[in-house]
Structures are given as C-alpha cells and as structure tokens.
Amino acid sequence: MDRPRQGSAGSPDQEPTVVLPDDWAEPTLIDPAGPPAAPRRRGTVLRRIGILVIVVLVVAAAVLADAFSRQHVQSQIADQVASTVSTDSDTVGVSIGGWPFLAVMATHRLSSVDLSIPTATVAKDDQKVTFTKVSVHATDLRNVRDMQTAGGGQAAASGHLSWQELSRLGGVTVSSGGDSRVQVARTVSVLGADVTVMVSASPGIDPATRTVTLTDPRASVDGITIPSTLLTPALSAMSRRMVLPDLGSLRYESLTVDSAGVEIALAGTQVEVKDLLNS
C-alpha cells in the first residue's frame, strides 16, 4: 500500500500554508462622501452662532438709532419750550413715549409726550403769569412731523402759583387762610368808617373767564362778624384782576390750596401741540 502524503505540518491531506507578499494586501478605501459627521455638526453650530451674532448687532444698531432720534427730537422740543416760557432748556424735561420711535416717521403719530418745567412764564395778550412745577401729559398726537400743526389728542396739565404771584395778580397781599381758604387784607366801610380787615375766602377758578374766584367771604372786627354783602364787592374787584392767560385748547379745570400757594389743573381734548409748547 502507498503511504499517506503528509503536509508541512505532518497532517494527512493538509495544504501547505502560503504567505503572500505585502504588495498583495487589500488596499485601504477612502469614503468619497467627505469627512465624518462630527465635523459637519460643528460647522452647522458655528454658522448658527454667526447668524445670531449678526441679528444681535442689527437689533443693537436699530435700538441705538431709535434712541438717538428720540433724544434729538426731545432736545428740540425742550429748546422750543424753553424759549417760549423764558427758562433754561437744561431744566425742561421731555419724554416721548412709544417704541420704536422711528415708526413716527411713517405714521406721523406719537403715543404720548410728557413735559416738566420747574419755572414757566406764560405771556399771552395782556396777561403774564409765572407758574412753577409745571407738568403736561399728552396722548395720541397726530401729524407730529410739524409741531406747529400737530394735535388731535388729549392732554392734562398742572401748574403752581405762589402766594407772591397771586398777590401780584390781585394787587393785594394774599396768603393761606387755613382749611383750603385764602386770606387777604381789604378795606371795607362799616357804619360810615373805613376799616381794614383780614378777609377769609374760598378760592376757585371760572373756566369760561379764566378768572380766580373768591367766594364765601368771612371777616370780623372785635368779635363782630361783618356781613358778606359788605365783603363781596371788594373781593369781586380783586378777582377781576386775577385773570390767567389763554392757553388755547387747554382749559382751566380746578384750583386747590396748599401751604405755598395754589395748584391749578388744566385739561383738553383735540389739543394742539403748539398749546402744549406754550403752556
């Protein structure tokens, strides 16, 4: 019998091991689709951050432009008010409401305007009065591109008259009489004799005539009450001299007494901005 053929390892029917050279190794394949997914995600994040930065810069530029335009107009209004009421423009406060202010250029409307003036001398016709602590609040103003023709909204205003200013207007010394009343020194005729007495009266304002009124007069001499019929003519003559300036579409509403003088309230509808600037 033939003997079995042995391979290199001595096992029957086993093929010998063949070692291939390095040149025959399988080549490395390169993916034509590009880099792995992780770098692609990083690129997307960077693009989003860049877009966000651009948006922030655009918004910041718009806010700065809006603030600059608002400040410029507020400064112009302050200058105009100051020249009208004989005061320093640095003391005039102006605040324009609503955002964005640049929308005014398209709509020609303002949602609100607030003015504050420490001292304002208003001269109209033959009246000249100095108010202090003046404040004005106006809303829904239209056609504001031209301040001389703008208006159409509502406004509320207030101003203070000192005892000294009231005394100048009335031609006599006016002071606080307590209990929301004023006190004035007047000469009245009692039993044929002229007597100077201190008269207490309740102050008010007549919107139709813009006159400071003095009603419910009270006075006494040596404990004797003087009849109001003797006091009223003297107070009426004084009141006729206490006429306040005409402020156009702003109407005098009320008057209240405090320790330093009287506070006068005004209001108006279909208000013209020129009246606000002159108030």
Side-chain angles (χ1 to χ4, degrees), residues 181-253:
R181 296 173 68 86
V182 300
Q183 182 173 268
V184 297
R186 297 302 296 163
T187 300
V188 297
S189 178
V190 180
L191 300 176
D194 290 338
V195 180
T196 299
V197 297
M198 297 302 296
V199 181
S200 169
S202 177
I205 192 163
D206 182 354
T209 62
R210 310 185 311 278
T211 301
V212 176
T213 60
L214 299 171
T215 59
D216 187 25
R218 304 172 190 172
S220 62
V221 176
D222 295 332
I224 301 174
T225 300
I226 300 175
S228 61
T229 54
L230 298 177
L231 302 173
T232 299
L235 292 183
S236 296
M238 173 184 168
S239 181
R240 284 193 293 269
R241 294 192 294 268
M242 302 173 70
V243 181
L244 301 179
D246 182 3
L247 297 180
S249 51
L250 283 175
R251 179 181 173 88
Y252 294 96
E253 293 271 300

Side-chain angles (χ1 to χ4, degrees), residues 5-9 11-18:
R5 188 177 55 180
Q6 297 181 347
S8 58
S11 301
D13 299 328
Q14 183 176 8
E15 292 294 333
T17 300
V18 179

Side-chain angles (χ1 to χ4, degrees), residues 69-122:
S69 300
R70 185 189 304 270
Q71 183 60 40
H72 178 67
V73 173
Q74 289 178 166
S75 178
Q76 286 185 322
I77 294 175
D79 290 341
Q80 187 169 351
V81 171
S83 64
T84 302
V85 298
S86 303
T87 192
D88 189 345
S89 61
D90 292 337
T91 67
V92 177
V94 181
S95 177
I96 297 176
W99 196 91
F101 176 74
L102 291 176
V104 174
M105 306 300 291
T107 64
H108 300 179
R109 299 182 68 166
L110 282 177
S111 60
S112 67
V113 175
D114 289 275
L115 302 177
S116 62
I117 313 168
T119 303
T121 300
V122 181

Side-chain angles (χ1 to χ4, degrees), residues 254-272:
S254 63
L255 179 152
T256 56
V257 179
D258 60 32
S259 60
V262 296
E263 184 86 4
I264 296 178
L266 307 93
T269 58
Q270 298 299 311
V271 173
E272 297 181 9

Side-chain angles (χ1 to χ4, degrees), residues 1 28 33 102 110 128 147 194:
M1 294 179 63
T28 301
L102 291 176
L110 282 177
K128 182 178 180 181
M147 289 299 175
D194 290 338

